[in-house]
């Protein structure tokens, strides 16, 4: 899923990863392979968020999905794999009361 600036900011407070900016050279290729997403990289590889239903969470949520892992110790090359849900849920937009 493609996140807006507020959702990216909210995600970054809950996920130990860096967001790839839309103007990053790899984003065009990543979008062609994985679809239109906001991409995150961490020490394990490439991640995106997919919409999630979380009855115990208030507001909109996303589940972290792993798309690729680093193939080298320098973290310079990614090896794609089938999307793997991680079970990690991110609160994107809490309900305001």
């Amino acid at each position: 899923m493609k996140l807006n600036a507020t959702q990216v900011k909210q995600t970054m407070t809950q996920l130990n990863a860096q967001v790839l900016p839309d103007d990053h050279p790899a984003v065009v290729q990543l979008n062609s392979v994985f679809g239109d997403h906001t991409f995150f990289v961490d020490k394990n590889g490439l991640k995106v968020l997919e919409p999630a239903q979380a009855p115990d969470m208030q507001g909109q949520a996303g589940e972290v999905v792993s798309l690729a892992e680093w193939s080298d110790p320098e973290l310079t090359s990614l090896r794609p794999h089938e999307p793997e849900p991680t079970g990690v849920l991110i609160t994107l937009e809490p309900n305001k009361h």
Side-chain angles (χ1 to χ4, degrees), residues 7-83:
Q7 292 170 325
V8 169
K9 192 181 226 180
Q10 188 73 12
T11 300
M12 298 305 294
T13 66
Q14 302 171 71
L15 185 65
N16 188 17
Q18 296 179 0
V19 65
L20 288 182
D22 287 338
D23 61 354
H24 189 281
V27 169
V28 171
Q29 183 178 9
L30 291 171
N31 280 332
S32 70
V33 174
F34 299 111
D36 193 24
H37 288 281
T38 301
F39 295 95
F40 298 88
V41 290
D42 66 10
K43 63 183 173 101
N44 297 313
L46 182 69
K47 311 283 192 290
V48 295
L49 295 184
E50 290 293 347
Q53 297 297 325
D56 58 330
M57 294 175 81
Q58 300 259 335
Q60 185 180 6
E63 181 174 12
V64 178
V65 175
S66 175
L67 298 177
E69 60 189 30
W70 296 111
S71 62
D72 63 324
E74 294 81 27
L75 310 182
T76 60
S77 181
L78 288 164
R79 180 177 35 247
H81 53 70
E82 289 297 314

